[in-house]
Amino acid sequence: EVLSKEKVSGLNTLPASLKERAWLPVERDQTWLQKYYPGAMSPANRLHRASEVSFTGFYGSIAASQKPLFHAGKLPLKEIQDALGFKEPTRIEVVQHFKVLIRLWEEDTAELESDAFVKSVKNIYSYFHQEFLSRKAQPQDQAWLRTQLQNYKTLWNYCEFYKPEHTFQREYPCFGSRRQKIAPDSPIREVFELLGQKPYPGIEDYIDFLDEVAEDSRGEALEGEDLKCAIAVLQKLSTVFKEEKESPSDYDFLLLSDDNLLLPPETLYIPDAPWYLEAIPDRDKIKVLHREIPPQMATEAGCHSLLENVIEKPTKIKEEERIEWQNWSKKKQSLVRSPAFLGGLARLI
């Protein structure tokens, strides 16, 4: 406090003079840095201004790749930091350091189970909570963060990073190993939701899953877990449409064929007249809906009907006879499907 009033270098006080000068040594031992601050930058061999460095400890753990680290022992009072020109890490510096940690994980070059790596990730989550979930945080600030980290795997769980949209806070076996349950306690839960995690899947999540499986299959028939999950997801999607009173026709999604391909609905036929199949030339070119996929949802999504949309053209029957027999067949079909017929049949049984 006394020195802060002393004049040095003309009219400047000591703090003001130091604020303008490069006078701070920084840590350059890369072995030590990577052990305690994964992703830390390798600084130039020179003295630095206070504004150019970050303190070790919490600040270092959330921004070590963005600024050289200065050992200060005990963190100085905020007033002293401001007087000398020290600056807390900015939100963009923290986000950039988070991306560095994610890249280290993707490249498998970090000791992922080390206390320092886990501590850095948790401290960044703590910073996100304070910066973007406090009362002063604005919706545009939260949108900015999500935009910065879009398409990144940002949710840490048991030494793995996951995309927020690939996790839920409950177990959903229909997704298989492609989706995970991550249910952290507060305040991490709120941070994960800020980053895009949902408690449970919605219609778009089921559709995105099908798109992902289709893209990975590259036009080949599904098998194993992917086949099992595609069937389960489509069955669940049919239920969700009904529960949420949504129409499948309002969504663009893929359906499963009987030869286990994920295809657009308009390229598929519902097998409501299976006797046609054997008579169709080039049968392999006709794609039929998988028998385990709900036909009502498929119809609303845009699938064709073998019965209604396929025209039979016999080669040895006159056209007027074909029409007559087709009308007779439809009449009998309506009869056996009528409530009166079904009710009478039920009484006999």
Side-chain angles (χ1 to χ4, degrees), residues 78-96:
K78 185 68 167 60
E79 294 81 357
I80 296 177
Q81 294 182 43
D82 292 342
L84 295 175
F86 289 101
K87 298 181 182 299
E88 296 181 1
T90 64
R91 58 173 59 175
I92 189 61
E93 289 172 340
V94 177
V95 167
Q96 291 302 322

Side-chain angles (χ1 to χ4, degrees), residues 23-27 32-33 37 50 53-60 68-78 80-81 84 86-87:
W23 60 285
L24 297 171
V26 295
E27 181 59 56
W32 183 89
L33 283 170
Y37 298 93
V53 306
S54 181
F55 290 112
T56 52
F58 179 81
Y59 290 159
L69 299 185
F70 170 66
H71 282 288
K74 184 179 179 181
L75 196 65
L77 295 175
K78 185 68 167 60
I80 296 177
Q81 294 182 43
L84 295 175
F86 289 101
K87 298 181 182 299

Side-chain angles (χ1 to χ4, degrees), residues 49-337:
R49 293 185 179 86
S51 61
E52 297 177 322
V53 306
S54 181
F55 290 112
T56 52
F58 179 81
Y59 290 159
S61 70
I62 65 174
S65 64
Q66 305 301 300
K67 284 185 175 182
L69 299 185
F70 170 66
H71 282 288
K74 184 179 179 181
L75 196 65
L77 295 175
K78 185 68 167 60
E79 294 81 357
I80 296 177
Q81 294 182 43
D82 292 342
L84 295 175
F86 289 101
K87 298 181 182 299
E88 296 181 1
T90 64
R91 58 173 59 175
I92 189 61
E93 289 172 340
V94 177
V95 167
Q96 291 302 322
H97 183 58
F98 191 33
K99 291 178 180 179
V100 169
L101 294 180
I102 295 170
R103 188 180 70 248
L104 289 176
W105 171 80
E106 290 175 338
E107 297 172 351
D108 199 22
T109 57
E111 295 182 15
L112 303 180
E113 297 183 7
S114 72
D115 291 341
F117 190 91
V118 175
K119 184 178 181 179
S120 291
V121 173
K122 290 184 175 180
N123 283 348
I124 289 173
Y125 288 152
S126 177
Y127 174 87
F128 286 165
H129 190 275
Q130 179 180 350
E131 183 73 11
F132 298 101
L133 292 172
S134 65
R135 291 183 179 180
K136 67 177 182 179
Q138 299 297 315
Q140 58 266 31
D141 298 323
Q142 299 173 348
W144 175 88
L145 179 64
R146 284 190 288 268
T147 300
Q148 288 291 317
L149 294 172
Q150 189 174 10
N151 298 323
Y152 280 87
K153 296 180 178 181
T154 57
L155 306 194
W156 178 258
N157 189 54
Y158 293 107
C159 298
E160 295 279 343
F161 276 115
Y162 297 93
K163 286 186 175 182
E165 60 269 26
H166 288 179
T167 74
F168 303 102
Q169 294 174 8
R170 303 174 189 171
E171 193 77 43
Y172 290 91
C174 65
F175 293 120
S177 59
R178 287 178 176 268
R179 300 294 184 267
Q180 302 294 323
K181 172 189 174 183
I182 302 181
D185 295 329
S186 182
I188 300 298
R189 182 178 67 252
E190 287 81 2
V191 173
F192 281 14
E193 290 173 354
L194 167 69
L195 295 174
Q197 187 193 38
K198 297 179 182 178
Y200 53 86
I203 290 175
E204 292 295 344
D205 296 297
Y206 293 106
I207 293 175
D208 289 344
F209 176 87
L210 295 169
D211 290 340
E212 177 185 321
V213 173
E215 182 178 354
D216 290 345
S217 70
R218 298 181 179 181
E220 299 293 327
L222 304 187
E223 56 185 22
E225 183 187 57
D226 279 346
L227 175 59
K228 179 181 177 181
C229 289
I231 294 172
V233 164
L234 283 165
Q235 291 173 342
K236 180 64 176 178
L237 184 58
S238 176
T239 301
V240 174
F241 277 135
K242 294 176 182 177
E243 291 175 345
E244 298 189 9
K245 294 181 172 58
E246 292 283 347
S247 172
S249 63
D250 294 332
Y251 294 86
D252 183 15
F253 62 99
L254 302 174
L255 292 172
L256 189 68
S257 68
D258 65 345
D259 53 353
N260 302 332
L261 297 172
L262 283 169
L263 300 169
E266 61 272 15
T267 65
L268 294 168
Y269 287 84
I270 297 172
D272 49 0
W275 54 86
Y276 280 166
L277 294 176
E278 295 180 2
I280 295 176
D282 299 325
R283 166 64 181 88
D284 58 324
K285 296 182 180 179
I286 300 296
K287 297 300 180 183
V288 177
L289 185 70
H290 195 284
R291 65 180 183 278
E292 295 186 54
I293 306 307
Q296 181 180 348
M297 176 183 71
T299 299
E300 294 180 34
C303 276
H304 303 292
S305 163
L306 277 178
L307 181 64
E308 300 294 335
N309 301 118
V310 173
I311 299 175
E312 186 178 17
K313 294 182 177 181
T315 58
K316 297 181 181 181
I317 299 178
K318 295 180 180 180
E319 179 64 16
E320 59 270 17
E321 292 178 349
R322 183 191 70 79
I323 294 175
E324 181 181 350
W325 280 105
Q326 189 176 55
N327 290 336
W328 180 89
S329 176
K330 288 184 177 181
K331 182 177 179 181
K332 296 303 180 184
Q333 188 178 67
S334 297
L335 174 63
V336 298
R337 289 180 176 178

Side-chain angles (χ1 to χ4, degrees), residues 3-49:
L3 290 176
S4 67
K5 299 177 182 179
E6 293 292 327
K7 304 293 185 187
V8 295
S9 183
L11 299 178
N12 281 342
T13 62
L14 177 60
S17 296
L18 291 175
K19 190 174 184 177
E20 298 173 356
R21 296 176 182 272
W23 60 285
L24 297 171
V26 295
E27 181 59 56
R28 299 186 66 251
D29 183 344
Q30 280 299 303
T31 301
W32 183 89
L33 283 170
Q34 297 309 318
K35 180 178 180 180
Y36 294 103
Y37 298 93
M41 69 181 302
S42 180
N45 185 18
R46 63 176 179 83
L47 297 176
H48 292 73
R49 293 185 179 86

